[in-house]
Amino acid sequence: MPSLRIVFSGLLLSAATVQTASAQDFWSYKDWNVSVERVQSEEDDYQQCVIFTGGDGLPTVSAEFFSGDAGPPYSYPEVKVTERAIRGYATVMANGDPISFTFDDGSVIRGAAEAVFDEDGFAVAFGRLAQQDNLLALQAMRGNADVTVSGPGYEVITASLSGFSAAYLKMAEVCGFSTEGVLD
């Protein structure tokens, strides 16, 4: 039976390789969550870090950072709102719609929506800011209690910012970038 043992050992080795190829960590801080996907490959090891609030059928407000990016002060995590629709329905945000992130202190940061279909045929829309506005949005998220994201004649989500700073700090720690300009 040596051949069966070799096959079984090969299967265990394959399963172990698959399990260590990608791992995900998750933390919660009040209304915000941190999700970190660690990916190991032959060429590079990296982390995809996302902090977000919302979900469970509602849109999400998030900031995302890829550990291979330059990081602050050269580039900051991308701030966006994501909306998903059930099959056969459209998202509220339409492609090209102007999107406003309005904070409870009255500050407004504007972006644009991109509506697409995902690989499974579901409608998904992203409200993104220009790269140079991500720092302003992150600073406003740190200093306010909530943010309302809206488009022309509709509201996408009003999200609590409680726990944002702790989630941002954890994301910076795990993904290895400075909190310069946002938390310090």
Side-chain angles (χ1 to χ4, degrees):
M1 291 272 179
S3 62
L4 183 57
R5 221 177 296 161
I6 292 170
V7 169
F8 184 68
S9 297
L11 287 173
L12 286 177
L13 181 59
S14 296
T17 304
V18 170
Q19 290 175 348
T20 60
S22 178
Q24 191 160 6
D25 295 319
F26 190 85
W27 299 269
S28 292
Y29 300 93
K30 296 185 182 178
D31 296 331
W32 280 76
N33 302 295
V34 181
S35 176
V36 177
E37 182 178 5
R38 300 172 195 275
V39 180
Q40 297 174 343
S41 70
E42 291 178 14
E43 298 170 10
D44 197 14
D45 295 344
Y46 64 89
Q47 293 88 26
Q48 179 68 36
C49 296
V50 180
I51 59 174
F52 65 95
T53 189
D56 290 333
L58 298 173
T60 59
V61 175
S62 64
E64 298 182 16
F65 185 81
F66 174 70
S67 66
D69 290 344
Y74 306 104
S75 77
Y76 287 86
E78 178 188 25
V79 176
K80 67 181 179 181
V81 62
T82 304
E83 175 195 10
R84 299 183 183 286
I86 59 175
R87 187 176 304 280
Y89 287 84
T91 55
V92 173
M93 290 188 287
N95 205 35
D97 277 358
I99 300 298
S100 298
F101 288 72
T102 305
F103 297 89
D104 55 291
D105 69 358
S107 61
V108 179
I109 302 171
R110 300 188 195 293
E114 175 189 5
V116 297
F117 288 95
D118 69 12
E119 63 276 356
D120 296 319
F122 292 94
V124 60
F126 305 98
R128 290 192 166 96
L129 302 174
Q131 177 61 34
Q132 66 269 17
D133 292 333
N134 286 322
L135 174 58
L136 294 172
L138 292 166
Q139 290 170 335
M141 292 165 86
R142 177 206 66 222
N144 284 279
D146 61 54
V147 59
T148 298
V149 182
S150 58
Y154 60 84
E155 182 178 305
V156 180
I157 186 174
T158 295
S160 166
L161 297 171
S162 179
F164 168 79
S165 293
Y168 188 84
L169 181 62
K170 185 65 173 182
M171 177 172 67
E173 174 190 314
V174 174
C175 257
F177 65 89
S178 168
T179 60
E180 177 183 342
V182 178
L183 300 182
D184 9 284

